[in-house]
């Protein structure tokens, strides 16, 4: 069983892993940073880039593989991460690190997006 409402779902996770583009899109929304109560990892090939905005509370920028991200979070005691962002989700699926998939849509709010299942075998 998986909770259907966002508040129940959000309470069930202890960490988020976002791709850089998804992070920047969420950060650009006209609301306060919605994930300040969770540990957030933003995967980016250049975590020290001057082009990145300052990290919100509990957020870090990292250049690591999906397996490395999961191992680091597990070693820190985390057990249920929400992975978000088309290319990031694809990378976790390709690495066989996804236990459960919950698909939602937010039409027109996030733009065109990245195809989620493109190239996944």
């Amino acid at each position: 069983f998986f909770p259907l409402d966002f508040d129940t779902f959000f309470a069930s996770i202890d960490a988020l892993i976002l791709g850089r583009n998804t992070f920047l899109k969420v950060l650009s929304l006209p609301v306060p940073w919605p994930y300040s109560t969770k540990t957030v990892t933003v995967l980016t090939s250049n975590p020290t880039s001057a082009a990145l905005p300052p990290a919100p509370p509990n957020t870090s920028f990292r250049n690591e593989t999906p397996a490395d991200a999961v191992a680091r979070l597990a070693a820190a005691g985390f057990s249920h991460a929400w992975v978000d962002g088309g290319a990031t989700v694809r990378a976790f699926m390709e690495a066989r690190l996804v236990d459960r998939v919950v698909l939602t849509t937010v039409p027109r709010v996030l733009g065109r997006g990245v195809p989620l299942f493109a190239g996944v075998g």
Side-chain angles (χ1 to χ4, degrees):
F1 172 75
F2 196 80
L4 297 178
D5 69 275
F6 182 79
D7 290 338
T8 303
F9 165 72
F10 196 69
S12 77
I13 64 165
D14 48 20
L16 283 88
I17 302 171
L18 307 174
R20 178 181 175 163
N21 290 335
T22 299
F23 163 74
L24 291 173
K25 183 54 74 177
V26 172
L27 198 61
S28 75
L29 297 175
V31 297
W33 178 244
Y35 308 133
S36 60
T37 62
K38 304 290 182 181
T39 295
V40 179
T41 298
V42 178
L43 297 182
T44 175
S45 60
N46 191 357
T48 59
S49 170
L52 285 170
N58 303 318
T59 300
S60 63
F61 302 114
R62 296 183 179 269
N63 180 6
E64 57 190 0
T65 67
D68 289 342
V70 168
R72 178 180 50 78
L73 290 169
F78 296 100
S79 61
H80 188 188
W82 170 18
V83 179
D84 196 10
T88 303
V89 170
R90 240 186 356 262
F92 275 74
M93 291 176 73
E94 289 170 355
R96 307 265 192 246
L97 294 170
V98 176
D99 294 328
R100 188 176 294 148
V101 175
V102 177
L103 295 177
T104 58
T105 59
V106 185
R108 300 281 181 192
V109 173
L110 298 179
R112 295 181 61 141
V114 176
L116 180 60
F117 296 114
V120 173

